[in-house]
Amino acid sequence: MAKVVEVADAGGNGASGHGPGTPPGPPRFVRERIFYGWWIVFAGWGLMVVGGGLMFHAFGAYVKVLEEEFGWSRAELSLAFALQRVETGVLGPIHGWAVDRFGPRLIMLIGVVLFALALAAFSLVNSLLGFYLVFALIAIGASLSSMLSVSVAVVNWFQRRRALALGVMSTGVAAGGLVTPAVVMALEGWGWRTTALVSGCVVLAIGLPLASLVRTRPGDHGRTPDGLPPAAAAAAAAAMPETSFTVREAMRTRAFWLLSLGHASGLVTVGAVSVHLFVYVTGDFGESSGTAARLIALLTAMLVVGMLIGGVFGDRMNKRIIIVSAMFGHMTGMLLLAWSPSFWVLTVAVAVQGTAWGARGPLTSALRADYFGPGSYGQIQGFSSLIVMTGMMLGPMIAGFIYDAQGTYTPAFLLLAVLAGLGSLCFIFATRPRPPATALQRL
């Protein structure tokens, strides 16, 4: 990381040394060829590639081999995925408080270690209860080491380019899906136990260095948001003032609840597709595991496209318009999945679902930061996750239970399409809240 030095004291008077006995001033401003905020984005991206590739996207492949070895039903296996979401949602407020209190780097390092150890423990599982317990630990570790934690840092380091930064970082979740074919090959060649153990080693080897790159606030390290010179940063702050709500103030607004409910309705479709797409393709369509893995790769490739579209246009357009369009994409994707008369229609459905997921996800987080500011973003995001993760929990369960009862996914996919359509209304009515007087007094 080559630096071009430009330093300024608090008054912006340029480089100056401090004489003996002079109290140290604020951190010197440092201008870099590559703004350090982008290194934080890269670190978050890499951690999401690891978590998404080795477990989130690969879960459907594990479902297939565990179903064959232990005879567990798809509803039972889907419950494990749902319990992961419950665990993440319940711990969200504590997670958000810890990140705001201790900084994202420490929390992410703890999460990486826990994630790796939980994957190693997964390789020893022999019972359904043990499977549930281990996946609860995997959920906690993966959550602590990825999205919420690093998002707090990204929101602080970026303002004008916040949607783009969150969008680029979030493509790591999608890029992780490109690892799924390798995981499928490992499952077929090594078996699921060895694959899980090796995955834990990979998490530890890659995750610890990446988490160590994260810093909380640019001002603590001689930088300004977006890497602007101090004068330009002051002008940008004046042009785009941000009011930071406390958690309590945010939860008193209509926007907090509507954003959370809308986010949850989108994740209903994401959760169902993430868990059941692999077995839907290999079962209902009779395609091979390799074909299913390639469709998952397509899903994640379009997820990247959607995230980049949302990131680029989210800083230039009304974010809510893009999000509402994405919610209709979720609905359309589920309708096409339910009524797929051919493999080609199925392919289109997967592409539409991936694009909608990508455009909606990071923009929802960016919109929440725009509305409530960076001051308590971790806690606000954490409390929101109590609602949001119900979508990721209910989607797989609805699909699994309906499939077990009727032997087809069609009714489940239709129901999920309706829920996504209703969720778009939440974003339509989630207008920017008026800052409370107590928040304005803190400016």
Side-chain angles (χ1 to χ4, degrees):
M1 187 166 42
K3 295 182 179 179
V4 178
V5 178
E6 176 181 326
V7 294
D9 60 21
N13 297 320
S16 62
H18 293 286
T22 302
R28 299 183 304 167
F29 171 66
V30 180
R31 175 174 291 173
E32 304 158 302
R33 292 178 182 173
I34 300 177
F35 175 49
Y36 194 83
W38 291 112
W39 290 102
I40 296 175
V41 169
F42 166 74
W45 180 88
L47 285 163
M48 290 178 195
V49 169
V50 171
L54 297 181
M55 183 48 60
F56 182 78
H57 293 291
F59 185 81
Y62 278 102
V63 165
K64 182 176 177 63
V65 296
L66 293 173
E67 184 181 34
E68 292 172 353
E69 178 167 335
F70 294 106
W72 299 332
S73 71
R74 293 185 188 179
E76 289 174 327
L77 290 165
S78 298
L79 182 60
F81 188 88
L83 289 174
Q84 283 185 309
R85 302 304 103 193
V86 171
E87 194 80 20
T88 302
V90 169
L91 292 179
I94 299 174
H95 181 184
W97 170 83
V99 172
D100 286 341
R101 175 66 177 81
F102 300 107
R105 180 172 56 176
L106 175 61
I107 303 305
M108 292 172 73
L109 290 170
I110 293 172
V112 166
V113 173
L114 179 58
F115 188 13
L117 293 177
L119 282 169
F122 174 42
S123 69
L124 304 175
V125 162
N126 285 300
S127 68
L128 187 60
L129 177 60
F131 175 65
Y132 289 156
L133 292 175
V134 163
F135 265 78
L137 294 176
I138 288 175
I140 296 172
S143 176
L144 293 179
S145 62
S146 60
M147 181 64 78
L148 192 156
S149 296
V150 74
S151 292
V152 171
V154 171
V155 163
N156 280 314
W157 282 76
F158 292 89
Q159 182 180 6
R160 293 194 308 173
R161 307 181 75 181
R162 181 175 288 160
L164 178 61
L166 288 171
V168 171
M169 181 192 72
S170 299
T171 61
V173 177
L178 303 178
V179 180
T180 300
V183 175
V184 171
M185 291 176 61
L187 289 171
E188 293 175 347
W190 298 344
W192 68 271
R193 294 185 187 276
T194 302
T195 300
L197 181 59
V198 171
S199 296
C201 295
V202 171
V203 167
L204 206 59
I206 297 177
L208 291 179
L210 289 178
S212 298
L213 291 174
V214 176
R215 302 291 186 271
T216 306
R217 283 175 293 273
D220 297 338
H221 304 280
R223 280 92 167 178
T224 58
D226 298 296
L228 299 173
M240 299 175 60
E242 286 196 307
T243 303
S244 289
F245 288 60
T246 65
V247 175
R248 190 167 296 179
E249 289 166 348
M251 293 180 69
R252 288 177 180 149
T253 67
R254 180 182 66 180
F256 173 88
W257 298 99
L258 289 176
L259 288 178
S260 299
L261 289 171
H263 199 165
S265 65
L267 289 182
V268 164
T269 67
V270 169
V273 170
S274 299
V275 174
H276 294 279
L277 179 61
F278 192 93
V279 290
Y280 179 54
V281 173
T282 56
D284 291 39
F285 276 82
E287 299 289 342
S288 67
S289 295
T291 299
R294 285 190 289 273
L295 274 178
I296 292 175
L298 172 64
L299 175 73
T300 53
M302 298 310 298
L303 180 55
V304 171
V305 172
M307 287 174 172
L308 294 178
I309 290 173
V312 169
F313 290 101
D315 289 322
R316 295 171 170 83
M317 297 174 56
N318 187 315
K319 293 181 178 65
R320 285 193 300 131
I321 294 176
I322 301 174
I323 294 172
V324 170
S325 300
M327 291 299 296
F328 280 108
H330 278 309
M331 181 178 68
T332 301
M334 297 311 297
L335 290 174
L336 290 175
L337 280 178
W339 291 322
S340 296
S342 68
F343 182 78
W344 294 110
V345 175
L346 173 64
T347 303
V348 172
V350 169
V352 170
Q353 184 66 229
T355 305
W357 178 9
R360 176 198 49 75
L363 280 187
T364 304
S365 297
L367 188 63
R368 192 176 286 115
D370 290 350
Y371 279 8
F372 303 116
S376 299
Y377 179 78
Q379 296 177 70
I380 293 170
Q381 188 87 324
F383 274 93
S384 179
S385 70
L386 287 170
I387 303 168
V388 170
M389 286 308 165
T390 59
M392 190 67 86
M393 175 190 70
L394 290 175
M397 291 182 63
I398 289 171
F401 282 122
I402 291 179
Y403 178 87
D404 288 342
Q406 301 193 16
T408 176
Y409 283 111
T410 299
F413 290 164
L414 291 175
L415 175 59
L416 298 179
V418 172
L419 293 177
L422 293 174
S424 65
L425 298 176
C426 294
F427 290 107
I428 290 174
F429 293 106
T431 54
R432 181 185 290 272
R434 179 177 299 176
T438 50
L440 294 174
Q441 291 170 4
R442 291 193 296 270
L443 292 177

